[in-house]
Amino acid sequence: MSLILSEEQAMLRDTAQSFLAENAPVAHLRELRDRHDADGFSRSLWATFAELGFTGILAPEAHGGLGLGHVEAGVVMEQIGRNLTPSPFLSSALLTVTALVRGADEARQAEWLPKIISGELIGALAVDEGPKHRPPAVSLRAERAGTGFRLNGVKSFVVDGHVADLLVVAARTGGAPVDQAGLTLFVVDAKAPGLTVERTVMVDSHNAARLRLENVTVDADAVLGQADGGWTLLEGVLNVGRAAVASELVGVADEVFGRTLSYLRERKQFGRAIGEFQALQHRAAHLYTEIEIAKAAVINSLQTLDESFEGAAAAVSVAKAKAGSVASLAVQEAVQMHGGMGMTDEYDIGLYMKRDRVLNELFGDPNYHADKLARLKGY
Amino acid sequence: MSDLQAFRHETRAWLEANCPAEMREPVRSEGDVCWGGRRWTFQSQAQRQWLERMAEAGWTAPEWPRAYGGGGLSREEAKVLRAEMAKLGCRSPLNSFGIWMLGPALLRYGTEDQKRAYLPPIVRGEIRWCQGYSEPNAGSDLASLQTRAEDRGDHWLVNGQKIWTSYADQADWIFCLVRTDPAAPKHLGISFILFDMESPGVSTRPINLISGKSPFCETFFDNVQVPKSNLVGELNRGWDVAKYLLTHEREMISGMGNLEGSPSIGALATRTLGLEGGFLADPMLRGQIAAFDVDAIAFRLAMERTGDMAKARQAHPAASSMLKYYGAELNKRRFELLMAAGGADALEWEGERSRDGDLARSWLRTKANSIEGGTSEIQLNIVAKRILELPGG
Ligand SMILES: Cc1cc2nc3c(=O)[nH]c(=O)nc-3n(C[C@H](O)[C@H](O)[C@H](O)COP(=O)(O)OP(=O)(O)OC[C@H]3O[C@@H](n4cnc5c(N)ncnc54)[C@H](O)[C@@H]3O)c2cc1C
């Protein structure tokens, strides 16, 4: 396996690149932000995502998807990162589709997938309950009630939860609040009685939600995968999310670095381009090296998910940790090397810094994933 | 079964049959490494056998053409060979500047006669080479070198001094940068020549390193006569050859940042500190080791990716500078952490228990990684200018 894109994958990248640069550049995010858009993303843009097939990138062809792999999903995520494009691509097309494809029977897949692929339904994943990512720490309870379940508890940082029609909710059906055993994933209708959704506008002008579930009832067939045995499914879904977010982080880092390089060539002080100063040259060269290394870790994680989904945990953690710390370095260096300009709202650099912070926090920051790697290595 | 899978099976079977058990044990110190050469004394019969068998197959230089003694393998096949060797824990049969540095330069710039004369003995580990680049006043600014080679009709007459010449006192031949046109601008008066270290007028004086070892020397040339045919590439265009060779040297050094076959910091710390509740008893050190492991794994992937890109003609020619920079810094960081993990045990300098201070000496040796082959600062200059195309002289 070679750690570069195949010809088809490179073509997909070019399609996504020109489509997003044209239809959803950073100005698009600004516009949504400045008019306090009710959804925080563009529904007509999302319809075009569906027309291009992006919404079905991971869904099987039998259900109308493209049946492509994680490398292809990552290719699109990277372009989203470059343009800071707000869309439910991660939540709906990657996380929800993965949960359904790996956790729902054929009949339920046939019910939901075509609607997700057409863009008619938006899905989101509800896992975390506290401010830091800690997936086994689920307190939201699901108790048996009649033939189904009754759910009570809260969720936070549910990305795109404010616009979701369908929620994949991690709940506790057994065990203690930090056990991996006793977890179950449920599909919950966002309009179910007892469910309240509070939109949380985040620092990066993207959106998430806090959920409160009070005696929300679901049927037995709302269970994805095994009741009490949802951990493996959840980790699989999360690993797809982590590798995808790592791809987006690489897009953020590479784009912000490119803009910084241009600035180093243009901006003059002391009668010469600031890019002539060796102090800045060395920092730029170091950053370039780090970004190249992060790219290798990320494409490897995506390929590993395609080749051995269950065995991808270490590769994914390396990618998320590396891409996260490198992107943070990239945005910080970018602001510094832009001087006062980097601090202005008018200039885009700050928007990249904000997005980086959110993506770093999402599904485990570099500390979380370095710790996970150490656990996998037994120390 | 694909051809590559078939190759993998054959290779594994061949390695299992031919790699002596002793040569599958981890390299524990410098002494376990085979460098070959006229004066080499094999550490064991197994070391000799392993070299001879691998050389016979051309697998000491797997990707060189068979015509010059190499293995004639494709990049994919060579990857498979390395992977299978790693799986069985096979030691490298031969460490060689000839393979890592001179060979690639000869394959690109040498004449057919030169390739046939010099490459096969390199593959077989019969001739050991050293690198005569640096001089007392030409380090980072290598092109200001002063060692002279005068045209005396049927030979070159070489006079001058080199420094930091690794293993000059043990090498059989030297590849050497000399000034052949003192009047030309500094990059345009340099030539690349080869000569026997036993030639009259060559002498070496070992220099002690902070590690207590003396792997390198001052090297003096006093009226050394070198045949005219020993010029590689064009007269006064030796700088091109020198730079090309440096990219290979940098790849070799960046390989030191590669994890394979090197001691695991986590495992060492587990021995010295123990686990508490399943985790290393020192949580701060544990965090540093984990962050290092993330970087080290990602770096290994970046080396692989750069190779894949080079094959697909997508890599920048100066990518070796990026890898050299990061690999060198990473290896230094690894040994800082190994020393921290080893604690007082790692400080012993003499005696059997520490194998004569092997870890401490290796730690000190790694400090040279960011100096040899061009310093980290020089690599960053190259990345900034050639890859990022930042302005300025
Ligand atoms: C263990 C070891 C083995 C070696 N083996 C060999 C060998 O086999 N053959 C051989 O020919 N040479 C060998 N070398 C020499 C090595 O290539 C040189 O040491 C190296 O190129 C640096 O040169 P210098 O030591 O003169 O340092 P200097 O060039 O004097 O550098 C001193 C400091 O100044 C910095 N500096 C210099 N120029 C710049 C600049 N433009 N911008 C920013 N910073 C700068 C350097 O980065 C360094 O930190 C070896 C060195 C070591 C340590």
Side-chain angles (χ1 to χ4, degrees), chain A residues 2-4 265 273 275-276 278 281-282 285-286 288-290 292-293 295-296 300 322 370-371 374-375 377 379, chain B residues 279-280 286 289-290 293 295 298 301-302 305 308-309 312 322 325-326 377 380-381 383-384 387-389 391-392:
Chain A
S2 132
L3 292 171
I4 50 180
R265 294 193 193 101
E276 290 186 42
Q278 195 185 50
Q281 288 188 345
H282 281 192
H286 172 76
Y288 167 79
T289 304
E290 290 279 16
E292 289 301 299
I293 292 168
K295 286 179 186 168
N300 176 65
K322 188 68 192 170
D371 171 77
R375 286 169 194 253
K377 284 174 159 270
Y379 61 85
Chain B
F279 305 122
L280 259 190
R286 177 176 181 272
I289 297 172
D293 278 344
D295 287 345
L301 293 164
R305 176 170 172 268
D308 292 338
M309 288 173 75
M322 154 189 107
Y325 159 65
Y326 202 88
E377 291 76 17
L380 290 172
N381 284 348
V383 171
I387 301 183
L388 306 181
E389 296 176 355

Side-chain angles (χ1 to χ4, degrees), chain A residues 345-364:
Chain A
D345 180 65
E346 191 193 328
Y347 221 70
D348 287 343
I349 297 297
L351 293 173
Y352 285 90
M353 174 171 272
K354 294 170 180 177
R355 185 70 185 141
D356 164 70
R357 189 84 278 293
V358 171
L359 294 173
N360 255 288
E361 212 52 63
L362 188 57
F363 304 144

Side-chain angles (χ1 to χ4, degrees), chain B residues 55-296:
Chain B
E56 177 67 34
W59 284 0
T60 49
E63 289 175 68
W64 292 9
R66 295 205 67 91
Y68 310 124
L73 301 188
S74 68
R75 187 178 141 74
E76 270 69 29
E77 289 168 334
K79 253 194 195 178
V80 167
L81 171 61
R82 278 194 299 274
E84 291 304 317
M85 285 177 68
K87 265 188 222 153
L88 289 181
C90 304
R91 288 183 187 171
S92 158
L94 181 65
N95 277 15
S96 158
F97 292 171
I99 293 172
W100 297 330
M101 299 194 237
L102 178 62
L106 282 178
L107 282 168
R108 167 116 176 222
Y109 290 98
T111 61
E112 189 56 32
D113 283 351
Q114 287 172 334
K115 292 180 201 173
R116 290 194 183 275
Y118 296 116
L119 295 177
I122 291 178
V123 173
R124 293 192 298 265
E126 289 165 3
I127 294 294
R128 185 170 178 182
W129 288 84
C130 65
Q131 176 188 35
Y133 275 31
S134 306
E135 298 179 5
N137 291 315
S140 297
D141 184 12
L142 180 61
S144 65
L145 60 95
Q146 293 303 328
T147 295
R148 277 281 279 143
E150 283 168 78
D151 189 342
R152 288 298 173 92
D154 62 337
H155 66 269
W156 301 107
L157 191 67
V158 178
N159 279 290
Q161 187 199 337
K162 296 288 171 182
I163 195 167
W164 321 126
T165 328
S166 292
Y167 307 113
D169 53 341
Q170 295 161 52
D172 306 311
W173 276 64
I174 187 168
F175 50 91
C176 196
L177 294 180
V178 290
R179 188 155 299 283
T180 38
D181 183 355
K186 66 180 180 179
H187 293 95
L188 299 176
I190 295 170
S191 298
F192 190 104
I193 59 171
L194 314 172
F195 53 92
D196 195 321
M197 290 292 279
E198 282 175 15
S199 311
V202 177
S203 61
T204 62
R205 189 191 302 150
I207 307 169
N208 261 332
L209 274 187
I210 50 178
S211 62
K213 309 220 164 161
S214 42
F216 56 19
C217 300
E218 290 179 284
T219 307
F220 304 93
F221 311 125
D222 182 16
N223 288 326
V224 180
Q225 295 189 14
V226 176
K228 292 291 278 286
S229 59
N230 291 14
L231 173 77
V232 178
E234 280 175 52
L235 182 65
N236 294 327
R237 297 306 303 264
W239 188 245
D240 297 340
V241 187
K243 275 198 307 188
Y244 181 75
L245 184 144
L246 274 175
T247 63
H248 287 272
E249 178 178 10
R250 286 167 187 161
E251 274 162 31
M252 166 195 67
I253 296 170
S254 51
M256 294 179 178
N258 200 332
L259 270 185
E260 267 158 318
S262 68
S264 148
I265 313 168
L268 176 62
T270 303
R271 280 205 303 281
T272 54
L273 283 156
L275 300 179
E276 270 169 21
F279 305 122
L280 259 190
D282 179 341
M284 299 295 283
L285 180 62
R286 177 176 181 272
Q288 289 183 14
I289 297 172
F292 172 85
D293 278 344
V294 168
D295 287 345

Side-chain angles (χ1 to χ4, degrees), chain A residues 60-348:
Chain A
E61 284 169 289
H63 294 297
L66 294 182
L68 295 173
H70 299 93
V71 174
E72 286 81 2
V75 158
V76 175
M77 285 298 285
E78 183 180 329
Q79 298 306 321
I80 287 178
R82 286 181 187 280
N83 293 286
L84 303 177
T85 309
S87 87
F89 180 72
L90 171 69
S91 302
S92 200
L94 305 187
L95 298 170
T96 307
V97 166
T98 301
L100 293 175
V101 167
R102 296 189 170 262
D105 61 24
E106 274 299 312
R108 311 248 80 181
Q109 290 192 33
E111 180 188 344
W112 286 317
L113 288 176
K115 292 183 183 156
I116 291 179
I117 296 165
S118 72
E120 186 186 335
L121 278 188
I122 291 173
L125 177 71
V127 180
D128 287 327
E129 298 178 4
K132 294 299 283 187
H133 180 62
R134 212 174 155 220
V138 167
S139 304
L140 187 143
R141 293 208 65 83
E143 286 152 327
R144 293 203 175 260
T147 57
F149 293 85
R150 186 188 305 117
L151 278 60
N152 278 289
V154 297
K155 291 286 172 187
S156 61
F157 205 10
V158 180
V159 173
D160 300 320
H162 67 305
V163 289
D165 306 294
L166 211 64
L167 292 155
V168 175
V169 178
R172 186 154 293 288
T173 41
V178 288
D179 288 350
Q180 293 177 3
L183 287 181
T184 307
L185 295 191
F186 291 92
V187 180
V188 178
D189 185 335
K191 292 190 197 69
L195 173 65
T196 35
V197 179
E198 179 201 344
R199 175 183 178 184
T200 48
V201 177
M202 307 305 252
V203 63
D204 60 344
S205 308
H206 284 52
N207 293 273
R210 290 177 187 263
L211 310 183
R212 173 172 297 282
L213 289 81
E214 280 169 322
N215 293 321
V216 173
T217 54
V218 295
D219 291 338
D221 65 2
V223 171
L224 293 177
Q226 296 293 311
D228 280 342
W231 174 252
T232 311
L233 175 60
L234 176 61
E235 266 293 280
V237 174
L238 285 172
N239 280 338
V240 171
R242 289 158 179 158
V245 172
S247 308
E248 187 173 347
L249 280 160
V250 160
V252 165
D254 212 37
E255 177 66 26
V256 89
F257 179 59
R259 291 173 183 230
T260 305
L261 277 182
S262 308
Y263 198 72
L264 290 178
R265 294 193 193 101
E266 281 157 24
R267 169 73 175 163
K268 296 215 164 50
Q269 284 294 284
F270 299 96
R272 49 184 168 150
I274 56 172
E276 290 186 42
F277 299 120
Q278 195 185 50
L280 298 188
Q281 288 188 345
H282 281 192
R283 282 160 62 176
H286 172 76
L287 182 52
Y288 167 79
T289 304
E290 290 279 16
I291 292 172
E292 289 301 299
I293 292 168
K295 286 179 186 168
V298 169
I299 189 168
N300 176 65
S301 73
L302 298 164
Q303 289 181 353
T304 310
L305 281 169
D306 284 335
E307 280 159 33
S308 61
F309 191 82
E310 310 286 343
V316 167
S317 279
V318 167
K320 180 68 167 69
K322 188 68 192 170
S325 55
V326 168
S328 289
L329 178 68
V331 295
Q332 292 178 67
E333 288 290 62
V335 168
Q336 179 65 21
M337 292 189 199
H338 279 82
M341 195 62 96
M343 290 298 296
T344 62
D345 180 65
E346 191 193 328
Y347 221 70
D348 287 343

